[in-house]
């Protein structure tokens, strides 16, 4: 593998983790990010146990623990505030089941952990051409780069994927989401990690360090709605007006200009991720709804699994082929579990909400633990610390 270069397109969580995992294995990897700086609107992040194991293997746990909070419990509540269920999972490999971050803090640590000079900003991919020995990349700033393999980490709306798989486009998932970060002086009480499920949608509360909290709201929608895209804090407050405290108090303090609104997209699973010298990874390969902390978590797991597979292979070619052959099957199972979780959470009919809540209360703790274990338990080989 000496002298071979891997180019990672996209400097988000997926791209930075991938480059870092490859560098930890001694593979030359460089990141090309379209934005000119790392500045972006801040939002919260939830990572599940599988991602936390991967961060430990990357040697990032100490730095990540300093800028995050963790818990082993995920409380699901009814709109009245009554507890429906508490999802718990314990494992010798996990100190905590979930951990919560500011997105900007998380990206800053990832970027700072890369080898110097391997993260390039202002590199918007204009074109690429595959040839016998690799890929030639052309950027909008007029520069060109050569690489042995290109890894597309450019998200759900990946321009690379649209080129290598003709006609494969993301579709609207049926959900739209609002989210933001709020500072408070603890007068909202102890805000533990929870989701509230009710006929008017789902509302999440996530504690962050420094007397901050991350909040999010998810509602069903038949398609992109211009009206809902313009919702302000008043509209959200009206929608969730009878939900339990402190949801109303949170929305009363939200500043309209700090609300991030997104329609959530997904796409039909694909059977392979490798197309000659181009690999799809993260949301570019398997976009799914970010339930149970799995939005970014699966991308982080992808990065570590790819790095381990390459390190165990005789060549990059063998490693990329092996990853593309074995990874999609596992991801299809996880995506199915995550999607079904979302369908249950987003039930709107009051009578069905009552039935759902009662059934979840009757389910034994072991049932929920097994579901989380199917997602969280991974067994990658320990990464080398060598660069």
């Amino acid at each position: 593998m000496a002298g071979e270069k891997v180019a990672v397109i996209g400097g988000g969580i997926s791209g930075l983790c991938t480059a870092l995992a490859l560098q930890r294995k001694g593979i030359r990897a460089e990141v090309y990010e379209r934005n000119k700086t790392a500045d972006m609107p801040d939002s919260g992040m939830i990572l599940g146990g599988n991602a936390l194991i991967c961060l430990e293997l990357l040697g990032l746990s100490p730095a990540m623990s300093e800028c995050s909070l963790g818990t082993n419990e995920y409380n699901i509540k009814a709109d009245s505030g009554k507890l429906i269920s508490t999802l718990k999972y314990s494992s010798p490999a996990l100190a905590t089941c979930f951990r919560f971050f500011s997105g900007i803090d998380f990206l800053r640590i990832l970027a700072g952990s890369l080898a110097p000079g391997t993260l390039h900003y202002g590199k918007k991919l204009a074109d690429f051409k595959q040839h016998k020995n690799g890929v030639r990349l052309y950027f909008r700033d007029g520069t060109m780069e050569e690489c042995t393999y290109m890894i597309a980490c450019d998200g759900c709306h990946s321009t690379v994927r649209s080129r290598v798989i003709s006609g494969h486009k993301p579709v609207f998932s049926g959900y739209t989401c609002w989210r933001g970060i709020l500072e408070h002086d603890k007068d909202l009480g102890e805000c533990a990690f929870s989701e509230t499920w009710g006929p008017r949608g789902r509302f999440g509360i996530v504690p962050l360090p420094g007397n901050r909290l991350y909040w999010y709201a998810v509602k069903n929608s038949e398609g992109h709605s211009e009206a809902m895209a313009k919702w302000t804090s008043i509209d959200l407050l009206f929608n969730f007006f009878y939900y339990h405290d402190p949801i109303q108090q949170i929305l009363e303090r939200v500043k309209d200009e700090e609300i991030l609104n997104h329609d959530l997209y997904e796409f039909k699973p694909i059977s392979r991720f490798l197309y000659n010298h181009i690999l799809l990874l993260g949301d570019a390969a398997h976009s799914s709804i970010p339930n149970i902390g799995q939005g970014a978590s699966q991308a982080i797991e992808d990065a570590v699994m790819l790095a381990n597979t390459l390190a165990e292979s005789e060549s990059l070619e063998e490693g990329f082929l092996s990853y593309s052959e074995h990874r999609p099957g596992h991801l299809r199972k996880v995506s199915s579990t995550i999607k079904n979780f979302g369908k249950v959470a987003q039930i709107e009919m009051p009578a069905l909400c009552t039935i759902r809540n009662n059934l979840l209360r009757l389910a034994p703790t072991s049932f929920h633990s097994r579901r989380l274990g199917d997602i969280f338990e991974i067994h990658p080989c320990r990464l080398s610390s060598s660069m």
Side-chain angles (χ1 to χ4, degrees):
M1 300 182 188
E4 296 179 300
K5 173 183 173 181
V6 175
V8 180
I9 303 300
I13 292 169
S14 176
L16 295 179
C17 279
T18 299
L20 180 59
L22 296 183
Q23 290 177 4
R24 290 283 198 263
K25 288 296 188 180
I27 299 169
R28 182 185 174 193
E30 300 195 21
V31 182
Y32 299 90
E33 164 58 37
R34 61 186 296 172
N35 293 320
K36 294 184 177 180
T37 68
D39 293 338
M40 63 183 67
D42 197 8
S43 184
M45 285 177 52
I46 303 169
L47 294 184
N50 51 323
L52 301 180
I53 292 172
C54 291
L55 294 176
E56 173 72 25
L57 298 176
L58 288 169
L60 297 178
S61 284
M64 292 298 184
S65 296
E66 290 179 1
C67 68
S68 64
L69 297 178
T71 185
N72 286 318
E73 297 187 351
Y74 169 19
N75 294 319
I76 300 173
K77 300 180 180 181
D79 48 18
S80 65
K82 184 178 180 181
L83 185 66
I84 298 173
S85 182
T86 297
L87 306 189
K88 299 180 180 179
Y89 182 72
S90 60
S91 165
L94 288 172
T96 56
C97 194
F98 297 95
R99 193 159 282 277
F100 320 120
F101 302 82
S102 152
I104 287 179
D105 288 344
F106 191 81
L107 289 173
R108 173 180 51 79
I109 292 173
L110 290 178
S113 301
L114 291 173
T118 58
L119 172 56
H120 310 282
Y121 289 108
K123 294 292 184 179
K124 185 175 182 179
L125 187 67
D127 196 11
F128 57 88
K129 294 180 180 179
Q130 296 202 65
H131 52 81
K132 181 180 179 180
N133 298 315
V135 188
R136 185 172 294 117
L137 312 178
Y138 300 91
F139 297 97
R140 289 286 176 86
D141 63 1
T143 60
M144 184 268 288
E145 295 286 344
E146 291 276 358
C147 61
T148 311
Y149 281 90
M150 176 175 75
I151 302 179
C153 297
D154 53 343
C156 177
H157 299 276
S158 169
T159 56
V160 176
R161 187 186 66 246
S162 66
R163 285 274 303 274
V164 297
I165 312 177
S166 178
H168 197 280
K169 297 180 180 180
V171 296
F172 182 61
S173 67
Y175 309 129
T176 190
C177 175
W178 299 262
R179 56 198 176 103
I181 290 179
L182 179 70
E183 294 186 4
H184 68 101
D185 53 9
K186 293 190 176 181
D187 58 327
L188 295 176
E190 292 297 325
C191 296
F193 176 34
S194 69
E195 275 193 358
T196 298
W197 297 359
R200 286 181 169 263
R202 186 167 22 151
F203 196 95
I205 300 174
V206 182
L208 294 176
N211 293 333
R212 297 181 301 165
L213 64 83
Y214 166 48
W215 65 270
Y216 58 91
V218 184
K219 279 188 65 66
N220 295 342
S221 177
E222 294 183 358
H224 173 71
S225 168
E226 291 292 339
M228 293 178 74
K230 296 177 182 178
W231 272 21
T232 66
S233 57
I234 296 298
D235 297 300
L236 290 168
L237 183 60
F238 179 78
N239 181 79
F240 293 102
F241 76 94
Y242 71 89
Y243 277 32
H244 64 86
D245 294 338
I247 293 174
Q248 295 180 44
Q249 292 91 328
I250 290 172
L251 291 174
E252 286 172 350
R253 300 182 187 194
V254 168
K255 297 178 182 178
D256 292 342
E257 63 271 18
E258 295 178 353
I259 297 175
L260 302 176
N261 171 244
H262 309 274
D263 289 332
L264 301 181
Y265 286 83
E266 57 187 353
F267 53 79
K268 184 179 179 181
I270 55 181
S271 59
R272 63 188 178 102
F273 298 155
L274 184 66
Y275 299 83
N276 297 321
H277 290 264
I278 297 174
L279 180 76
L280 305 179
L281 194 140
D283 280 352
H286 52 81
S287 182
S288 59
I289 307 305
N291 293 314
I292 325 177
Q294 291 305 299
S297 294
Q298 286 300 319
I300 296 170
E301 185 179 321
D302 283 352
V304 170
M305 290 300 186
L306 174 63
N308 288 332
T309 303
L310 293 177
E312 294 166 357
S313 303
E314 295 295 327
S315 65
L316 286 182
E317 180 182 10
E318 178 187 315
F320 276 108
L321 284 169
S322 178
Y323 176 86
S324 181
E325 178 182 354
H326 295 103
R327 186 67 175 153
H330 169 75
L331 287 166
R332 281 194 294 272
K333 293 178 182 178
V334 172
S335 294
S336 177
T337 299
I338 294 170
K339 188 169 185 175
N340 290 335
F341 182 91
K343 288 180 178 179
V344 172
Q346 294 293 142
I347 291 173
E348 288 185 329
M349 292 183 61
L352 292 181
C353 285
T354 300
I355 293 172
R356 173 201 63 199
N357 297 352
N358 289 334
L359 288 175
L360 286 175
R361 290 189 183 104
L362 291 172
T365 302
S366 59
F367 172 81
H368 300 305
S369 182
R370 284 196 301 271
R371 299 288 79 75
L372 289 179
D374 291 340
I375 298 172
F376 288 172
E377 284 294 340
I378 58 175
H379 304 284
C381 298
R382 186 162 297 276
L383 291 173
S384 168
S385 59
S386 65
M387 298 296 289

